[in-house]
Amino acid sequence: MKHILLVEDDLTYSRIVKTFLEKNGFSVQTAVKVKEAQQLFSNSKFDLIIADFRLPDGTGMELLQWSKVNYPQTQVILITHYSDIRIAIKAMKLGAFEYITKPINPDELLATVKESLSTKIPEPASAEPIAAPLAPKTKFRSSYVIGNSAEAEKLEKHIQLVSPTDLSVLVMGETGTGKEFISRRIHDLSARNDGPFIAIDCGALPKELAGSELFGHVKGAFTGALENKTGHFEMANGGTIFLDEIGNLGYEVQIQLLRAIQERTIRKIGGNKEIQIDVRIIAATNDNLIVQSGDGHFREDLYHRLNEFTLSAIPLRSRKDDLEDFADQFLEESNERLVKTVKGFSPEVWEIFLGYDWPGNLRELRNIIKRAVLLSAGSHVEKEALPADLYEPSSSFSGATSSSNSYSRQADLPSPKDYKSQWVEQEKELIQKVLMDTKFNKSKTARILNMDRKTLYSKMEKYGLD
């Protein structure tokens, strides 16, 4: 029997979900706070955590990050409101298996739980270098969608241009725009395509262990270093290493990275032997590294070393001409993954897709289609299988509407100035709440809010929250 830890502070909701899961053959324990959930791990072993994002003493994101460090083999599913979509997508990048939105659909919950428990998390890297398996490379090559828009053609032209070279590439773009897919395509089109492709999310690396993860360590280098460890750079030898969210690396690790790029050698933490490496570096960020290098958070010399060639991942709202290509690809993937035979999307669904702004970009589109395929009983995805937030006026007034009374609804909307003042007030309240929850730990607050420290400091000053 699989053991699930449900962390939800709404006791009624928690009881309903617990009863439903127990009726389907799972053992479920509940908690209402982050600390309570962490304490339960000292006496019990759990195969899965299902956590609400908003908890009384923190967030599901904090619990996710804690579990990935201390119990990496435990899967995590995040429960969130659709308004938290960006945060949920960030959670998946940090290792969450999936996110589901309230109100929870029982079929979706059960399918997601079963899928998470049947998906094996890869074991941590062994002490010896391992070549990347060929299967994932083939999968990523086949799932890359070039698109037909002018922006997509320009991006593909630049990818074809830089791939055969050995230049370091910096991929800029919003969360969910497919920066890792672009990087894998560069690798697949390069002379290194028979070598490993190692992808690292720098935002998920614990600050104190980042150097060890990237460059390795020798036995006894620090407390807990019980054996020699091969770092990601050594594992990527002969291939490509992809460093996502590069701006999150600490200053000391930046110095080590700069040395690795300049001298093509690395030294393990606690070691004295220089190890030759032959690795191409592709870095990605959704932060402005120029600003970070200017204010001292990111080394300017490292920025210029990484930025030998820049590519910009295109947000989905700016490439609606490619929406059909992506949707068809994700439909095919979802059918295969869920063993379904959904053939396409109804005209009403297409209208909703084209009118929506896609703040979560390609990752959001993929998850919505997977959810819709799961919930669809007919041959086509219908409107009812989509989250209501995609087409309700309150959340989609920026997109097109086909209803006959759309004009009257638009006329009732507040002015742009009112929207701006509401947004400012909500942002101030959110920052204030997170600061209080973290006891004014600014680094932790910035991480939870998915913004760099400089931005947080400037907003705190602006709103008088010092």
Side-chain angles (χ1 to χ4, degrees):
M1 180 181 288
K2 297 292 185 180
H3 297 274
I4 298 173
L5 175 59
L6 174 63
V7 191
E8 168 66 75
D9 62 327
D10 184 327
L11 297 181
T12 302
Y13 217 84
S14 176
R15 189 162 55 248
I16 292 170
V17 173
K18 182 178 189 291
T19 303
F20 173 74
L21 291 173
E22 286 177 338
K23 283 183 178 177
N24 282 278
F26 299 105
S27 169
V28 183
Q29 275 189 261
T30 60
V32 296
K33 295 181 178 180
V34 173
K35 286 185 179 177
E36 184 184 351
Q38 292 170 342
Q39 288 168 357
L40 285 172
F41 268 89
S42 61
N43 299 317
S44 306
K45 179 186 175 185
F46 296 99
D47 304 289
L48 171 67
I49 301 171
I50 303 175
D52 196 349
F53 174 70
R54 301 178 186 278
L55 295 166
D57 63 338
T59 67
M61 186 87 81
E62 292 175 50
L63 185 58
L64 164 67
Q65 291 174 303
W66 175 85
S67 71
K68 287 301 166 188
V69 172
N70 296 283
Y71 301 92
Q73 296 304 304
T74 301
Q75 295 279 25
V76 180
I77 296 172
L78 204 67
I79 302 174
T80 178
H81 291 281
Y82 209 81
S83 58
D84 296 322
I85 185 75
R86 290 179 186 273
I87 297 170
I89 289 170
K90 178 68 175 175
M92 290 186 67
K93 289 194 66 180
L94 293 177
F97 177 79
E98 187 59 276
Y99 68 87
I100 51 180
T101 55
K102 289 183 177 180
I104 294 175
N105 179 292
D107 293 335
E108 180 187 5
L109 173 63
L110 186 59
T112 305
V113 167
K114 288 180 176 178
E115 190 179 355
S116 71
L117 292 171
S118 64
T119 302
K120 185 174 175 60
I121 298 176
E123 293 290 337
S126 66
E128 296 300 323
I130 302 172
L134 295 177
K137 188 198 295 185
T138 306
K139 176 185 172 187
F140 272 90
R141 182 186 288 126
S142 63
S143 8
Y144 185 83
V145 177
I146 296 173
N148 297 302
S149 65
E151 295 88 349
E153 289 178 2
K154 181 180 178 182
L155 175 60
E156 176 63 14
K157 183 179 178 182
H158 287 173
I159 289 174
Q160 297 276 354
L161 185 67
V162 76
S163 293
T165 74
D166 230 13
L167 294 175
S168 296
V169 179
L170 186 62
V171 185
M172 310 286 287
E174 298 174 11
T175 297
T177 46
K179 295 187 288 292
E180 183 175 344
F181 277 83
I182 291 171
S183 303
R184 282 184 180 268
R185 181 155 180 81
I186 293 170
H187 173 75
D188 286 343
L189 294 175
S190 74
R192 296 174 174 269
N193 59 9
D194 287 331
F197 178 92
I198 305 293
I200 312 299
D201 185 351
C202 300
L205 292 177
K207 187 176 180 181
E208 63 277 7
L209 296 177
S212 169
E213 290 292 323
L214 292 175
F215 306 111
H217 64 248
V218 298
K219 182 179 179 180
F222 50 84
T223 304
L226 303 179
E227 58 183 21
N228 293 337
K229 177 182 176 64
T230 299
H232 294 302
F233 265 83
E234 197 174 348
M235 292 174 65
N237 203 28
T240 305
I241 190 165
F242 171 61
L243 301 173
D244 198 8
E245 303 290 1
I246 187 77
N248 286 297
L249 289 180
Y251 204 77
E252 291 300 318
V253 179
Q254 290 176 37
I255 295 172
Q256 293 173 284
L257 179 56
L258 179 63
R259 185 170 176 273
I261 296 172
Q262 289 175 333
E263 301 180 19
R264 297 293 167 182
T265 62
I266 60 167
R267 183 183 294 177
K268 293 187 177 185
I269 306 297
N272 52 21
K273 179 184 175 184
E274 299 290 336
I275 302 171
Q276 293 286 331
I277 54 165
D278 173 25
V279 175
R280 182 185 194 171
I281 298 175
I282 303 176
T285 180
N286 57 13
D287 296 322
N288 191 333
L289 287 186
I290 299 176
V291 173
Q292 283 189 274
S293 63
D295 62 23
H297 285 103
F298 197 85
R299 289 184 64 100
E300 191 171 354
D301 47 2
L302 177 57
Y303 168 75
H304 290 300
R305 283 284 184 176
L306 293 169
N307 189 27
E308 292 182 317
F309 193 90
T310 303
L311 291 172
S312 295
I314 312 161
L316 188 53
R317 62 182 173 275
S318 300
R319 57 187 307 184
K320 292 288 182 73
D321 291 347
D322 299 324
L323 189 61
E324 186 172 352
D325 292 334
F326 286 117
D328 288 343
Q329 174 66 39
F330 297 156
L331 178 67
E332 184 182 333
E333 286 179 10
S334 300
N335 275 327
E336 184 178 343
R337 189 171 176 182
L338 300 171
V339 196
K340 302 271 281 188
T341 56
V342 178
K343 292 184 173 64
F345 307 90
S346 71
E348 193 174 17
V349 168
W350 274 121
E351 187 175 352
I352 292 167
F353 278 1
L354 291 168
Y356 185 56
D357 205 35
W358 299 109
N361 293 297
L362 294 175
R363 195 177 285 115
E364 183 183 8
L365 175 63
R366 169 183 268 129
N367 288 330
I368 282 174
I369 289 177
K370 184 175 71 171
R371 176 186 188 275
V373 167
L374 174 67
L375 299 178
S376 295
S379 62
H380 285 70
V381 172
E382 302 292 342
K383 175 181 175 181
E384 290 70 29
L386 302 180
D389 303 68
L390 262 68
Y391 51 80
E392 285 181 349
S394 60
S395 61
S396 58
F397 58 82
S398 60
T401 57
S402 59
S403 172
S404 59
N405 64 348
S406 62
Y407 175 80
S408 62
R409 284 203 302 265
Q410 294 288 337
D412 293 336
L413 292 173
S415 69
K417 185 176 180 181
D418 290 337
Y419 275 123
K420 186 175 180 181
S421 66
Q422 288 175 22
W423 167 255
V424 166
E425 191 59 37
Q426 287 174 6
E427 184 179 53
K428 178 182 176 181
E429 288 178 6
L430 177 61
I431 293 173
Q432 190 170 26
K433 181 181 186 306
V434 178
L435 281 167
M436 292 176 69
D437 288 345
T438 62
K439 296 182 171 59
F440 275 75
N441 182 324
K442 297 182 183 66
S443 296
K444 198 172 184 181
T445 298
R447 191 165 63 249
I448 292 170
L449 294 171
N450 194 22
M451 63 175 66
D452 59 67
R453 281 183 300 240
K454 185 186 177 190
T455 303
L456 175 64
Y457 294 152
S458 108
K459 287 184 182 292
M460 287 175 63
E461 185 178 355
K462 174 184 174 183
Y463 298 139
L465 298 176
D466 287 331

